[in-house]
Amino acid sequence: MILLDGKKVSANVKAEVAKEVKELNEKGASVCLAVVIVGEDPASKIYVRNKKRACEECGIKSLEYALPENTSQEELLSLINKLNSDKEVNGILVQMPLPKHLSEKAVIDAISPLKDVDAFTDANVGKIMIGSYNFLPCTPAGVMELLKSENIDIEGKNCVVIGRSNIVGKPMSMLLLHKNATVTICHSRTRDIASICRNADLIVAAVGRKHFLTADMVKEGAIIIDVGINRDENGKVCGDVDFENVKEKASYITPVPGGVGPMTISVLMKNTLKAAALQRDTEI
């Protein structure tokens, strides 16, 4: 069993980004990411802090807009419009989830596709579908970087994605398909998920339920990617995979924490750098 070390691969990606950002700086251009957070969600605050730290490591300027819980839809959209037209800002990220009274769809729709470093806007999602994209969603793209780091070829392999979210499940299946894998998407209405998983060469677990994928659902030598972040009965961070038992059967497996999580943030840095490069050639 080989552990897919997200911390190590992420550090390599960030080092490459830092090098390119430095080169841009030397040409008199800067790279800037604006992060918007609404309310006091503790997990969101940790994510924003981690993103800020990654920006510092890569030499990317970060702007944080921490808005109160009672911020109105109009106020939030007004801020996004301002950031869209600010030529110094290359990427815009609105931390999800938003408070219940705000429309996530309206907020995502308001972000300029050229600054949509999460790749959530309709325009960018459509480009991912047809395989002609500028940005990829950070978590699925992070998974692909991990596979690439170990030269894992998925062409012709049976791949199962558990979960159909717009953020992970659906785009993950598209990226695997672009690499000529045969992809099955399982979800809450799928019958007999266990038997489908047993035929998989690669499983991406993105269901949000602790230890959902157990050893009896995995065939010998399968590649296991755990996207889940949950807490066990002791409050310890764990994934969607029963790691201790599944690792005995897997050829490759990601740990939680330290697997896909660090990759998500390093891809965000890559996307922000790419946005800056695209905007230098395009009128915003």
Side-chain angles (χ1 to χ4, degrees):
M1 181 274 296
I2 295 172
L3 207 60
L4 291 167
D5 187 346
K7 286 182 183 172
K8 182 178 148 199
V9 180
S10 172
N12 294 340
V13 171
K14 284 189 287 190
E16 189 57 42
V17 170
K19 182 168 158 270
E20 292 187 44
V21 169
K22 191 166 176 253
E23 286 168 11
L24 270 180
N25 289 345
E26 284 163 2
K27 291 174 186 168
S30 63
V31 182
C32 176
L33 173 67
V35 179
V36 180
I37 179 169
V38 185
E40 299 294 321
D41 182 72
S44 290
K45 283 183 152 181
I46 291 167
Y47 292 143
V48 168
R49 193 164 68 238
N50 290 344
K51 286 162 187 173
K52 204 171 178 178
R53 194 181 300 132
C55 282
E56 283 169 18
E57 286 176 47
C58 294
I60 293 173
K61 183 180 175 187
S62 69
L63 303 174
E64 186 184 327
Y65 296 85
L67 307 179
E69 184 87 22
N70 62 358
T71 297
S72 70
Q73 187 83 26
E74 290 69 31
E75 286 168 325
L76 182 51
L77 293 179
S78 170
L79 172 60
I80 291 168
N81 288 333
K82 188 181 115 190
L83 296 172
N84 279 337
S85 57
D86 186 341
K87 285 190 160 64
E88 296 302 307
V89 172
N90 304 114
I92 301 169
L93 184 149
V94 179
Q95 185 64 47
M96 304 295 175
L98 290 170
K100 294 274 188 284
H101 68 282
L102 298 171
S103 161
E104 290 189 356
K105 185 178 187 316
V107 168
I108 290 165
D109 287 347
I111 298 170
S112 160
L114 270 177
K115 296 189 177 189
D116 171 32
V117 287
D118 262 333
F120 287 169
T121 59
D122 291 352
N124 286 330
V125 170
K127 286 180 174 182
I128 293 158
M129 278 290 291
I130 60 173
S132 171
Y133 41 76
N134 291 323
F135 309 116
L136 290 173
C138 300
T139 299
V143 170
M144 299 308 285
E145 288 276 358
L146 270 180
L147 296 174
K148 185 176 153 192
S149 74
E150 287 289 339
N151 298 311
I152 297 169
D153 183 12
I154 57 166
E155 183 168 330
K157 284 189 166 65
N158 284 327
C159 297
V160 169
V161 177
I162 311 173
R164 54 175 165 177
S165 72
N166 291 335
I167 293 171
V168 180
K170 288 177 189 171
M172 187 74 252
S173 62
M174 280 299 110
L175 298 195
L176 293 168
L177 202 55
H178 291 325
K179 292 291 181 186
N180 300 318
T182 299
V183 184
T184 303
I185 304 171
C186 294
H187 48 80
S188 58
R189 301 289 187 274
T190 302
R191 292 176 186 171
D192 199 0
I193 288 179
S195 68
I196 295 169
C197 289
R198 279 185 212 112
N199 287 318
D201 302 307
L202 181 148
I203 301 172
V204 179
V207 73
R209 283 169 59 186
K210 69 179 167 85
H211 301 161
F212 177 84
L213 188 76
T214 51
D216 64 314
M217 296 167 73
V218 174
K219 78 174 184 182
E220 204 69 46
I223 300 157
I224 308 296
I225 306 291
D226 192 349
V227 179
I229 298 177
N230 314 291
R231 290 198 180 270
D232 65 15
E233 45 286 343
N234 304 314
K236 192 178 164 199
V237 172
C238 65
D240 290 352
V241 176
D242 177 9
F243 182 85
E244 288 306 318
N245 293 309
V246 171
K247 75 176 183 183
E248 302 303 324
K249 294 175 89 172
S251 57
Y252 295 88
I253 191 167
T254 60
V256 176
V260 176
M263 296 306 304
T264 299
I265 291 182
S266 60
V267 172
L268 173 65
M269 299 299 107
K270 258 180 93 164
N271 283 353
T272 306
L273 172 64
K274 184 157 192 189
L278 285 168
Q279 288 157 33
R280 290 187 76 194
D281 300 326
T282 311
E283 196 68 38
I284 297 170

